[in-house]
């Protein structure tokens, strides 16, 4: 099944919002609304480790394998959606 | 952005640490009086954060061996083993390590960090895959990154997470190396090694276990967590360090596979680093001998670990999941951890402070490491100081 970027970005925004509610990223910035354009590092102030931990959730949700190297190309939810779709099509 | 602008973040980190008192990354011990006692700013301090698990740093036989090597072989090797040749003690230690693990091969590196870089870059290439525990040490991450292999992380000690990733690899699983630690250094929790071995056997992968913090402490013979869980014979590579339970400096890899004997021809962190000095080899060999012949050292570590864990638990503190030579106390946040760490130091106890992002779950911890050389009285004092936080 082919995934659409818009649909995946929307789902990822929801997954990230749920993830942030667990309290791992506890900054005022982390409580703002998440959109496909949200930058996880500069907007939400997530550090590199927190982004990596979130990736584990994403991998399991979509049952895809995301290489650690891909992380350097991911800043926004849209970036992440692109990586998920690429991994899903492999 | 200029070349130096990226250091602004480090500058902020440095100033933030210093505002709470002493900088935890810059403690200076004026003198060390024993494996468990030092002096900081003129104050006597109990050392409860040095990873000196067997307490051998002041052992008279180890010191005598080091002094004899210094006098007979000089201060350093002045180059790599590939270029300058090996000293007999390098080969002897490798033989003794291989004998200790009852495997055919062992290889010595100049540090534990270099061992992980050296082994992972030799073993892995671009076509290979690593499944790396998410809480693995930075040296394991760095070695995997340097190797060029595809790296996928799995959730810490989570068998289902590992199994899902092995399944996703399909026919690449036989080119996969699973990389874990025996005991994880921040919380002191152990890997479920027997179950991980079963998975790696099922999928045809290989397994590397870093026993840096478990060597000498776990297992009937002190070989580590793999021995303690009865699966050492099915592990493919063990890496470790001489800088903790053996009280020296350096690292090693041991393996049941003949391929390890070829690593020295391809491992750049081995080939292009000065080899360990004769004195370091001598004290390490003596410490390994003591590890093997004095099981009472392990008994002491465990007795002290039980006393500290039990005492801190009775105070109602939130601790790591299991009793062991590392006892981590969770703080409610970063500032509390900093303040408590300073108060402990001022009251005469040195522990490690562990702050995010390099911590499990992004938590802040005061981390104690237990030594066989701690007295029951010292452990009681540490507990009392924690009770006053």
């Amino acid at each position: 099944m082919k995934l659409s970027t818009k649909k995946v970005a929307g789902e990822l925004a929801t997954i990230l919002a749920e993830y942030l509610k667990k309290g791992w990223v506890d900054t005022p910035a982390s409580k703002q609304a998440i959109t496909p354009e949200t930058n996880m590092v500069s907007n939400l102030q997530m550090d590199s480790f927190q982004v990596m931990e979130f990736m584990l959730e994403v991998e399991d949700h979509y049952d895809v394998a995301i290489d650690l190297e891909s992380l350097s190309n991911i800043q926004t939810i849209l970036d992440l959606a692109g990586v998920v779709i690429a991994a899903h099509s492999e | 952005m200029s070349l130096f602008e990226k250091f602004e973040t480090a500058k902020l980190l440095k100033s933030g640490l210093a505002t709470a008192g002493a900088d935890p990354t810059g403690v200076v011990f004026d003198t060390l009086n024993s494996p468990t006692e030092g002096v900081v700013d003129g104050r006597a301090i109990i050392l409860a954060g040095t990873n000196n698990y067997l307490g051998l740093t002041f052992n008279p036989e180890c010191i005598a061996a080091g002094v004899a090597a210094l006098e007979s072989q000089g201060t350093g090797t002045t180059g790599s083993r590939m270029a300058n040749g090996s000293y007999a003690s390098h080969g002897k230690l490798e033989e003794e390590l291989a004998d200790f693990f009852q495997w055919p091969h062992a290889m010595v590196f100049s540090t534990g960090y270099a061992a992980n870089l050296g082994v992972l870059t030799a073993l892995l290439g671009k076509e290979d895959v690593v499944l790396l525990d998410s809480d693995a040490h930075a040296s394991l991450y760095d070695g995997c990154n340097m190797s060029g292999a595809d790296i996928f992380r799995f959730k810490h000690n989570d068998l289902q997470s590992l199994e899902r990733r092995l399944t996703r690899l399909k026919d690449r699983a036989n080119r996969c190396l699973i990389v874990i630690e025996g005991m994880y250094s921040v919380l002191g929790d152990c890997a479920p090694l027997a179950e991980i071995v079963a998975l790696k056997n099922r999928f045809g992968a290989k397994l590397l276990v870093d026993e840096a913090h478990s060597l000498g402490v776990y297992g009937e013979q002190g070989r580590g967590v793999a021995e303690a869980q009865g699966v050492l014979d099915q592990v493919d590579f063990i890496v470790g360090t001489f800088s903790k339970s053996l009280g020296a400096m350096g690292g090693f890899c041991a393996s049941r596979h003949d391929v390890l004997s070829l690593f020295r021809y391809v491992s750049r962190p081995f080939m292009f680093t000065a080899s360990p000095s004769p004195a370091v080899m001598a004290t390490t060999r003596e410490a390994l001998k003591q590890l093997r012949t004095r099981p009472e050292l392990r008994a002491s570590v465990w007795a002290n670990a039980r006393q500290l864990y039990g005492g801190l638990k009775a105070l109602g503190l939130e601790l790591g999941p299991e009793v062991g030579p590392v006892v981590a106390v969770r703080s409610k946040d970063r500032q509390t951890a900093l303040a408590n760490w300073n108060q402990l130091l001022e009251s005469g106890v040195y522990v490690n402070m562990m702050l995010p992002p390099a911590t499990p779950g992004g938590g802040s911890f005061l981390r104690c490491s237990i030594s066989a050389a701690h007295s029951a009285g010292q452990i009681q004092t540490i507990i009392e100081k924690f009770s006053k936080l």
Side-chain angles (χ1 to χ4, degrees):
Chain A
M1 184 185 69
K2 198 170 178 211
L3 300 174
S4 83
T5 306
K6 188 178 172 189
K7 181 171 180 291
V8 172
E11 289 170 354
L12 286 169
T14 306
I15 296 167
L16 180 55
E18 288 298 316
Y19 181 76
L20 294 177
K21 275 186 198 164
K22 293 179 186 171
W24 271 46
V25 189
D26 192 17
T27 65
S30 70
K31 295 180 177 56
Q32 66 180 264
I34 298 166
T35 69
E37 288 74 31
T38 298
N39 184 309
M40 289 185 277
V41 176
S42 62
N43 294 142
L44 301 180
Q45 295 179 3
M46 292 171 71
D47 62 38
S48 56
F49 188 78
Q50 289 161 340
V51 174
M52 285 200 299
E53 291 299 291
F54 174 55
M55 299 294 283
L56 290 173
E57 303 289 330
V58 172
E59 283 184 86
D60 285 345
H61 183 86
Y62 290 99
D63 197 20
V64 294
I66 299 176
D67 185 342
L68 199 58
E69 196 181 351
S70 302
L71 211 64
S72 57
N73 301 321
I74 298 169
Q75 293 194 20
T76 66
I77 300 299
L78 268 178
D79 295 336
L80 179 55
V83 170
V84 167
I85 290 166
H88 194 264
S89 64
E90 281 177 5
Chain B
M1 184 167 157
S2 76
L3 188 62
F4 298 156
E5 216 172 306
K6 64 175 88 65
F7 290 97
E8 288 305 311
T9 310
K11 198 189 283 181
L12 282 173
L13 176 66
K14 181 172 182 274
S15 60
L17 290 173
T19 52
D23 177 354
T25 64
V27 174
V28 176
F29 298 101
D30 303 328
T31 56
L32 289 161
N33 302 326
S34 76
T36 60
E37 299 161 307
V39 175
V40 175
D41 286 337
R43 276 195 310 276
I45 301 285
I46 296 174
L47 305 174
T50 56
N51 304 325
N52 195 353
Y53 300 118
L54 299 185
L56 291 174
T57 48
F58 281 77
N59 177 269
E61 286 83 12
C62 290
I63 291 172
V67 169
L70 264 173
E71 289 179 345
S72 63
Q73 297 170 63
T75 55
T77 63
T78 66
S80 71
R81 291 170 70 181
M82 290 297 277
N84 290 23
S86 295
Y87 283 41
S89 55
H90 294 133
K92 289 280 184 200
L93 179 56
E94 286 173 341
E95 286 171 18
E96 287 156 5
L97 282 164
D99 181 62
F100 175 56
F101 285 101
Q102 299 187 322
W103 278 346
H105 304 288
M107 186 172 170
V108 166
F109 292 82
S110 299
T111 66
Y113 186 94
N116 283 344
L117 259 54
V119 169
L120 290 164
T121 55
L123 187 55
L124 297 165
K126 286 190 186 305
E127 303 299 317
D128 303 318
V129 186
V130 181
L131 292 183
L132 179 63
D133 185 286
S134 61
D135 281 5
H137 189 261
S139 58
L140 296 169
Y141 271 89
D142 290 352
C144 292
N145 272 323
M146 281 174 64
S147 74
D150 289 337
I151 307 163
F152 302 103
R153 299 161 72 245
F154 62 94
K155 291 179 184 173
H156 173 57
N157 276 352
D158 186 325
L159 295 166
Q160 189 184 27
S161 180
L162 175 59
E163 185 177 6
R164 290 179 79 161
R165 280 153 183 78
L166 281 163
T167 305
R168 282 178 204 140
L169 290 178
K170 297 175 185 159
D171 56 357
R172 291 187 81 194
N174 70 350
R175 296 201 66 150
C176 170
L177 180 70
I178 300 167
V179 175
I180 62 171
E181 295 180 35
M183 184 192 78
Y184 287 84
S185 60
V186 177
L187 293 184
D189 51 333
C190 290
L193 256 170
E195 292 83 354
I196 290 174
V197 161
L199 278 175
K200 78 110 187 171
N201 286 340
R202 175 146 72 90
F203 285 89
K206 296 283 190 292
L207 176 63
L208 178 146
V209 183
D210 186 337
E211 299 269 21
H213 287 267
S214 30
L215 182 78
V217 180
Y218 285 81
E220 196 177 336
Q221 305 298 321
R223 296 183 187 122
V225 174
E227 184 200 11
Q229 296 190 18
V231 291
L232 181 59
D233 61 335
Q234 295 176 75
V235 170
D236 298 286
F237 299 92
I238 296 278
V239 287
T241 178
F242 307 143
S243 62
K244 296 177 172 59
S245 57
L246 298 178
M249 180 87 186
F252 71 91
C253 178
S255 178
R256 59 195 174 93
H257 298 292
D258 291 340
V259 72
L260 181 61
S261 65
L262 300 173
F263 280 20
R264 64 190 70 232
Y265 302 100
V266 297
S267 172
R268 293 167 66 87
F270 172 83
M271 294 161 69
F272 299 104
T273 309
S275 60
S277 73
V280 163
M281 289 295 91
T283 67
T284 303
R285 291 180 65 199
E286 177 58 34
L288 180 62
K289 185 175 146 194
Q290 301 223 8
L291 183 162
R292 299 183 75 170
T293 56
R294 295 177 62 197
E296 67 272 20
L297 292 173
R298 270 188 293 293
S300 295
V301 180
W302 281 100
N304 287 339
R306 282 189 289 272
Q307 186 189 348
L308 184 65
Y309 194 95
L312 295 179
K313 194 85 182 166
L315 295 176
L317 298 172
E318 187 182 344
L319 307 180
E322 53 191 284
V323 178
V326 168
V327 180
V329 181
R330 183 184 285 273
S331 294
K332 70 173 184 180
D333 55 35
R334 184 186 185 93
Q335 289 312 315
T336 307
L338 263 169
N340 287 344
W341 179 87
N342 269 280
Q343 189 180 327
L344 282 172
L345 188 66
E346 283 165 17
S347 66
V349 175
Y350 173 75
V351 300
N352 305 124
M353 196 175 65
M354 315 300 276
L355 296 176
T359 52
S364 299
F365 301 93
L366 299 176
R367 173 190 179 273
C368 308
S369 56
I370 316 304
S371 175
H374 280 123
S375 66
Q378 286 176 320
I379 300 286
Q380 190 54 40
T381 301
I382 297 167
I383 296 167
E384 284 167 16
K385 300 301 181 188
F386 266 96
S387 75
K388 295 194 168 86
L389 295 177

